Structures are given as C-alpha cells and as structure tokens.
Amino acid sequence: MPETADFELLVSMLDRYPWLEPYLAMEFYGNDLAHYAVAAIVVLLVYVVSKIISWLIETYAKHLAKRTENKLDDKILEIIHRSVTFILVLSAIYFSVKSLTLPEGVDTFTVRAIFVLFTLKIARELELFLRFFFESYLEPLAKKQKGVVRGFIPAVNKLSKFIIWSLAFLLILGNLGYDITSLIAGLGIGGLALALAAQEMLGNAFGSLTLLTDQPFNIGDWIMVEDTEGEVVEIGMRSTKIQTTDRSTVSLPNSIVANSKIENYSRRNSRKVGLDLRFSYNTSTEKMQKVLKKILEIVKK
C-alpha cells in the first residue's frame, strides 16, 4: 500500500489511542480506516490553511492594492482570493486519493473528475480576467481613438472566450481518454465543409480584417460607399452600419464595403463648391460687384 512519511507520522499519532485501534484497523477497499481518517484530516487542514491565506489576502493584500491607481493588481488578488481555497483543497484531495490503495476504476474516476473541475475553474477565471482586461483597458482606449478597432473589440472578446473554452474542452476530452488528434482532424474536415457552405460569412470576416488593417474610415466619419452616403455608426465583424441624411440606417456587408470605392468626406481639408450666378443682360457692373462682395462675406463667415 503506497504511503508517504507524513501519512505514516499521522497514523502513528492516531495509534497512541488504543481504544481507537479496533476501529482504525477496519479495512475498506484495501485501506484501513486510519488511512482514510488521515486523508480526511489532511484535506481539512489544507482547507483551514486556505481560509487563513484567504483572510490574509482580504485583510492586508487588498488594502495595499487599493492604494495603487492600477486596477490590475486588485483583479489579480480578487482571482487569487476566489480561487485559493478551491485549488488547494482540490490538490489535497488529489494527493490524498493517490496515497490510498483504491480500485482502479475509483482511482481513475476521482483523478479525472479532479482534473475536469480544475480545468473548468482555470478556464472560468481566465475568461473573467480577459473580460476585465477588455472592459477596463481595451474598450476605453478604442473609444478614445474612435477608430475601426472600436467596432472589433466586442468581437475579439467573444473570440477569446471561444478559444479558451475550446482548449478546455479538448483538454478534458484528452484526459477522459479520447484521441484529440483524430478529433482535431475531424474538426478540420468539418471546418472545410463548413467553410464551403459559408463562403459569404467568411467573405464578410475577411472584409472586416481588410477594414481593420487599411482603416479607410473610422466611426463617426462621413463616407460614400457605392450609392450609400452617410455617417459611420458601427463597424462589426459582419457588416458596417451607415446612417444616411434621412436618419435611416443602412447595413452593408463588409465584403462589399472592402471591395467598393470608398469616399471619405471627413478626411478632406477643403471642398470645392460650384455655384452658377445668373444675371440679366441689363445688370450693371456695380450691382454684380456688390453681389459678389456679399457672397464673399457669407463665405468668410
């Protein structure tokens, strides 16, 4: 039966009480009750220690972090405070189970269940941290710039969540004994079929990347695309929304916008305006000069 030095020490401490010996000697699944008791005590002690660490973080570390203007350290401490008990207790359960002699099925099920819980916890905390990072840093920065990046931040945030949970899902399947290589190959073939069936969606996605890299216009610019003229109010992963002069909103697929001639009126520093003035033949030169002078004053104002 696999045992560690710490477990032997705790078992010997329990053996000091003779009246417990008949109970401690009782065996279940190849382990006597003493070793089960020791495993439970170890988990309990780790739980108490984790609560002490959590209290220290709550009492001292968080107060020190609040003195700084940066919110990043506050968020990291919040994640540690929220996760320390879960991770330490789960680790204690894992090592306690590995120290016991259990049926192969029970041991395998317990280890895999712990791995699944640990993976889900890490994925969830990573998702929350990335949400905080996007909402606290990237989105305010993009709003200040008022550029094309502003419209892509929510989409990138959703994409990051998809990647995190996809990796967690693959790790869990691999731990459960599934062949991840075959699964990824199957997903690749399925992805190819999906790509052929969704060419328009992919065209809009690549059009979005073109708009992101070239940045022919920003949110708030007045543009002309094809026969649509107006103010850009939103740039998404699929389409660009333009508000026209009659206050209606036109949604243009990004694949069309990226491949069209775009006139950005907001980036010009001057504008040529042609105005025809019609005078009768009997208008005097003095009157025409007065009219021109008046027009010049209006333009200057």
Side-chain angles (χ1 to χ4, degrees), residues 177-189:
Y178 292 94
D179 188 0
I180 300 180
T181 305
S182 302
L183 179 62
I184 294 177
L187 291 176
I189 297 175

Side-chain angles (χ1 to χ4, degrees), residues 111-158:
V111 172
R112 287 181 176 178
I114 291 174
F115 181 85
V116 170
L117 292 175
F118 188 83
T119 303
L120 293 176
K121 178 64 174 177
I122 295 299
R124 176 59 177 169
E125 295 299 336
L126 186 57
E127 177 195 354
L128 293 176
F129 178 77
L130 286 179
R131 181 194 301 176
F132 159 80
F133 184 75
F134 276 98
E135 293 178 353
S136 300
Y137 292 96
L138 295 185
E139 288 184 1
L141 181 62
K143 289 179 180 179
K144 290 180 181 179
Q145 295 180 348
K146 296 182 179 180
V148 180
V149 181
R150 176 182 176 184
F152 285 88
I153 292 298
V156 175
N157 189 11
K158 293 179 181 179

